[in-house]
Structure formats: C-alpha cells, structure tokens
Amino acid sequence: MDYDIKREDVEIPNTLPLLPVRDVVIFSYMILPLFVGREGSIKAVDEALSKDRLIFLATQKDPTVEDPKPDGIYSVGTVATVMRMLKLPDGRVKILVQGLMRGRIIEYTQQKPCYMVNIEKIKEPIMPELPLEAEALMRSVKEHSEKVLSLRGLLSSDVLMVLNNIEDPGRLADLVGSNLNLKIEEAQQVLEIFNPIDRLIKVNELLSKEVELSSMQAKIQSQAKEEMTKTQRDYFLREQLRAIKNELGDADERTKEIIDLKKKIKKAKMPKEVEKEANKQLDRLEQMHPDAA
C-alpha cells in the first residue's frame, strides 16, 4: 500500500497542537477523514497548517463532552500529518490525516485558543530479525484476519496483498487493530502497548474472540436461512400436492372438511364483516401445516 508520507522523513517537534477526537482511536499509518467543528479544534488545525502540518491526535474519554478538559483526554495518542483540508459551508472543516507515530502528552503548555502540548515521541523498537515465535504469531494474526474478513464478506485480493506484504509486527498489529471495530477502551489499550510483539499478542487475542463471534453469527444466519428455506419448500410442496389431488379428484379429508366449512359459511348468511373474518380464518387454516392446525 502506498502512503503519501513516510514518518522517517518527518522531523517531529516536541510541541504540537492537540486535536481531541471522539469515537475513534488513530493508529500509526492509519489514513482517515475527520470532521472538525469545535472552535478550539478548528484553531488546532489552523495552527498545524500554518506550520509543518503536524498535529497530535488523542481520544477523549467521554465522547459526549463538548469541551473536554486535559484529564478527560487520553495521554497516549498519535502524531499525525494533515494531508488535506476542506472548509465546509456549515463552518466545519474536513481534514484527511495520516498517523505517523505514537506519542504521550507530557504537559499542556496552552489551553486557548487551542490546546498545545509537549509530547514524548514513542519510537518503535527496531527488530532486525524476528524470532520464530514472532513469525508464528504474525502468521496466526494474518490467518485470523483473513477468516474474519471472509466471514464478513469483505475479503478481497487487495486486502490479502496488504496483509501478506506486512513484515513488521507492530505495523501489522496497528493495521489489524484499527480495522477490528473495537470499543474505544479496547482500541486505546492496543495503542498504549508500545512493545510491538506484546501489542500483536493482544491483537491476536482480540482477533480470536472476533473469529468466534463472527463464526457464531454466520452459523445463526445460516440456520435462520435454512429454516426459512425449509418452511418455504414445505409450503410449496404442500401446494403442489394439493393441486395434484384436486386434478385427480382425490382431495383428502382435510381438504373436504375445508370445502364443507366454506359451504356452511356461505349458507349461514352471516353479516358481511363476520363472513369476511370467517373466510379469512379459514384461508389461514387451509395454508397451515396439518400438524399445526
């Protein structure tokens, strides 16, 4: 997969504007659009664009809070670059960001007009050669990912190519973790695991749970579909059988009984509404399986 920015090529300062985000945890290498509407957040974007386009993204703990305080924002987040910005007619802005690396807020140096923070840059440890256990773990994560995507009907050759081409355990953990539809708390836990192998172990655990849930969901859907198909097939066969018997003049006792009841309803000269309801119930009885009648 091609990326517009390589984090190795970016010099990241120690102080950055902070953009608190809601309902999402941003990982390294992740590219996604964000709609920004709060005044302080727009100011943070403006600050980033006026300098080096770099911004610190951290998730707020309660997404319903409109003006989060420092203690309501997770300290571990992601340094990102603002790739594009579009001003919308309603006053909001839409930005496209790409995560570059993890970071931790050390200090809030400014709160107005936007948050400015000093950060600790958290670099991924370099692993020149992966131990066999790590390779086995990566293979397990890739296989589980393929299974989950297949069960969801989202597996494609492009996705397979991306998964198979990743050889870095930390990057694999971030890619899979960002696509698992995790709860915010779970995604934040993954983000806060700095050791790539430990992070991959956590993602593998979450994946195993997701495989089990997706398999169970697929089984339930399959059983429901089979039951519906069986009911429809049984009804169709009963209708065919009845048609054949009618053609042969060999109606069964139940059919004769229904015909007799129809005649009796007609002879009874009921009020129209009562007769209509009686015929309706008789039609329903006729369509029911004999064992259910």
Side-chain angles (χ1 to χ4, degrees), residues 77-274:
T78 301
V79 178
T81 182
V82 181
M83 301 168 69
R84 297 187 187 89
M85 190 272 280
L86 175 67
K87 291 185 177 180
L88 302 175
D90 59 5
R92 296 181 301 160
V93 297
K94 180 182 178 182
I95 59 174
L96 185 68
V97 297
Q98 178 184 354
L100 298 178
M101 70 181 304
R102 282 169 169 76
R104 190 202 313 268
I105 298 172
I106 302 300
E107 179 187 11
Y108 282 77
T109 60
Q110 173 185 299
Q111 296 201 16
K112 296 292 181 181
C114 68
Y115 283 131
M116 295 291 296
V117 291
N118 284 342
I119 64 163
E120 172 195 358
K121 290 168 278 189
I122 300 168
K123 296 182 179 180
E124 290 278 294
I126 298 172
M127 303 182 69
E129 187 174 345
L130 289 177
L132 285 176
E133 289 182 1
E135 289 186 14
L137 182 61
M138 289 185 69
R139 183 176 297 181
S140 174
V141 168
K142 289 178 181 180
E143 288 174 354
H144 279 149
S145 298
E146 289 178 21
K147 188 166 186 179
V148 169
L149 291 170
S150 177
L151 288 168
R152 291 179 181 174
L154 300 174
L155 190 62
S156 68
S157 57
D158 290 341
V159 173
L160 277 176
M161 184 177 69
V162 171
L163 278 173
N164 291 328
N165 285 343
I166 295 178
E167 298 179 355
D168 178 76
R171 187 169 178 179
L172 179 62
D174 287 346
L175 174 67
V176 175
S178 65
N179 285 280
L180 265 182
N181 296 327
L182 299 174
K183 296 177 182 177
I184 292 299
E185 294 79 8
E186 290 177 327
Q188 186 66 31
Q189 285 177 9
V190 174
L191 186 72
E192 293 182 8
I193 301 174
F194 303 143
N195 182 288
I197 301 299
D198 291 342
R199 188 158 75 244
L200 199 59
I201 290 172
K202 177 65 175 178
V203 167
N204 194 46
E205 291 173 1
L206 293 168
L207 260 176
S208 298
K209 178 182 175 183
E210 187 62 30
V211 167
E212 189 176 343
L213 287 172
S214 296
S215 298
M216 192 178 298
Q217 185 179 12
K219 184 178 179 181
I220 291 170
Q221 289 175 342
S222 176
Q223 287 175 341
K225 186 177 180 181
E226 285 177 8
E227 186 63 32
M228 186 180 296
T229 303
K230 182 178 182 298
T231 302
Q232 291 172 338
R233 185 175 64 248
D234 289 348
Y235 174 75
F236 178 70
L237 290 173
R238 285 198 304 272
E239 289 297 305
Q240 279 191 318
L241 182 60
R242 185 169 62 179
I244 291 170
K245 286 184 175 181
N246 286 338
E247 284 291 325
L248 296 173
D250 185 26
D252 59 16
E253 289 299 321
R254 186 165 177 270
T255 304
K256 289 178 181 178
E257 182 182 353
I258 289 172
I259 292 172
D260 288 341
L261 286 171
K262 283 185 177 180
K263 289 179 180 178
K264 288 178 181 179
I265 289 172
K266 192 172 182 180
K267 287 181 180 179
K269 295 183 179 180
M270 304 174 181
K272 286 186 178 180
E273 288 299 321
V274 177

Side-chain angles (χ1 to χ4, degrees), residues 53-78:
R53 307 183 76 87
L54 295 175
I55 196 165
F56 192 72
L57 305 174
T59 305
Q60 60 185 71
K61 298 174 183 178
D62 184 351
T64 63
V65 175
E66 193 62 28
D67 185 19
K69 304 303 178 188
D71 60 0
I73 302 169
Y74 287 109
S75 60
V76 175
T78 301

